[in-house]
Amino acid sequence: MKILIILAHPEEKSFNAAMFNTAVRTLEKEGHEVKTTNLYKENYHPVSGKQNFTRLKNPDYFKQQDEELFALQHATLMPDIVAEQEKIEWCEIMIWQFPLYWFSVPAILKGWIDKVFTMGKLYDNGKIFSNGFSAGKTAMLSVTTGGPEKNYVEDRYGEIHSILFPIHRGILEFLGFTVLQPEIIYSVERLTDDERETALQNWSERLTNLEKETVEKLG
Ligand code: FAD
């Protein structure tokens, strides 16, 4: 299968980087085609705005979605954004690897979302959820947390699925992706080396069966 993995972590020796490297290695070994975007390594500029475009339809009043629609006809989207869109169009499965920051994705990944998921191309009137351009693809979040699992309950931080709901429903399912169960490694800094090693092995095992999991989920 064609699999795109996005990494949002600033440290190449981090546990997130280890999860990312494990995923690339395992999936390639399984015979999948893998493309990646390593946001920090690529020094990704995350601020979305006028600079998303090579020229503007209306320089007097910037409206991003209007410019995105204009860009479809006039090819005014910046080449780096187009390149990311092409990877999304290419892939059958998309995985995001990131540490939970303030109950959400790191800003660099949020910026990637704001810039890359353009109107007319990734979603449009009536082209959302099961009619979305990404219908038939699957997506999965692979997330590490600082907080321990016992804190991710209703009367404390809230359930992890509630915290991830805006990403699952408001972004991925909105675009048409079918969302797989997230991979969550809680409290990663407080695990022992052995526990972290086991987490990486479990991740690798899960990815070995990713095609089966995807096919089952898509029904
Ligand atoms: P690292 O610190 O990189 O790694 C943990 C340990 O694993 C290190 O000792 C490292 O050496 C070791 N390691 C690396 N590679 C391997 C390997 N191959 N095998 C074994 N061990 C290895 N947490 C929450 O729970 N909720 C929040 O809302 C939240 N918000 C945050 C906001 C900000 C701005 C920041 C900075 C942090 C926040 N955190 C939050 C904490 C954050 O989620 C964790 O610090 C992060 O998930 C830890 O992952 P890491 O990859 O950075 O770990």
Side-chain angles (χ1 to χ4, degrees):
M1 299 191 83
K2 294 172 180 162
I3 303 173
L4 172 63
I5 313 177
I6 312 295
L7 172 64
H9 198 290
E11 171 55 58
E12 288 186 40
K13 294 188 287 297
S14 67
F15 190 76
N16 269 268
M19 290 286 282
F20 170 79
N21 292 329
T22 297
V24 173
R25 217 172 27 243
T26 305
L27 293 167
E28 284 183 342
K29 202 168 144 220
E30 287 299 308
H32 300 296
E33 286 179 73
V34 179
K35 290 189 182 183
T36 60
T37 298
N38 187 337
L39 290 167
Y40 281 96
K41 194 172 178 189
E42 293 170 23
N43 206 15
Y44 191 77
H45 180 74
V47 180
S48 185
K50 294 178 186 177
Q51 64 277 11
N52 295 4
F53 306 93
T54 53
R55 76 184 160 87
L56 296 174
K57 174 189 173 199
N58 184 357
D60 295 327
Y61 193 107
F62 178 69
K63 243 180 117 48
Q64 182 166 324
Q65 288 170 317
D66 287 353
E67 295 296 342
E68 289 170 353
L69 293 175
F70 180 76
L72 275 181
Q73 308 302 324
H74 300 89
T76 50
L77 203 57
M78 285 295 281
D80 66 306
I81 300 177
V82 174
E84 293 304 305
Q85 292 182 334
E86 284 173 355
K87 287 192 219 175
I88 294 166
E89 277 181 319
W90 167 86
C91 81
E92 295 165 278
I93 303 176
M94 180 168 69
I95 299 172
W96 294 355
Q97 177 65 55
F98 62 94
L100 194 68
Y101 277 6
W102 298 114
F103 284 19
S104 188
V105 293
I108 200 167
L109 178 52
K110 182 57 165 58
W112 181 85
I113 294 163
D114 289 352
K115 289 170 71 171
V116 172
F117 296 162
T118 61
M119 190 173 196
K121 186 81 176 169
L122 272 294
Y123 70 96
D124 209 340
N125 286 336
K127 298 293 285 179
I128 54 173
F129 296 110
S130 56
N131 290 325
F133 292 110
S134 297
K137 300 178 191 282
T138 58
M140 190 203 316
L141 305 181
S142 176
V143 186
T144 63
T145 76
E149 187 168 10
K150 69 177 168 55
N151 286 354
Y152 282 91
V153 290
E154 189 67 45
D155 58 356
R156 192 123 164 92
Y157 296 176
E159 305 277 352
I160 195 73
H161 289 282
S162 312
I163 289 164
L164 297 180
F165 180 81
I167 307 169
H168 281 162
R169 182 62 56 84
I171 303 173
L172 296 168
E173 289 177 349
F174 182 84
L175 296 176
F177 287 92
T178 297
V179 174
L180 303 176
Q181 283 299 313
E183 185 77 8
I184 314 281
I185 313 294
Y186 291 98
S187 194
V188 64
E189 292 111 324
R190 280 181 253 180
L191 299 180
T192 63
D193 280 345
D194 282 351
E195 287 170 332
R196 281 193 289 265
E197 191 51 48
T198 302
L200 289 167
Q201 280 170 12
N202 291 343
W203 177 224
S204 181
E205 266 170 43
R206 179 176 179 188
L207 293 171
T208 302
N209 296 307
L210 187 61
E211 186 164 2
K212 187 164 172 273
E213 187 180 338
T214 300
V215 168
E216 280 171 6
K217 184 77 182 180
L218 287 172

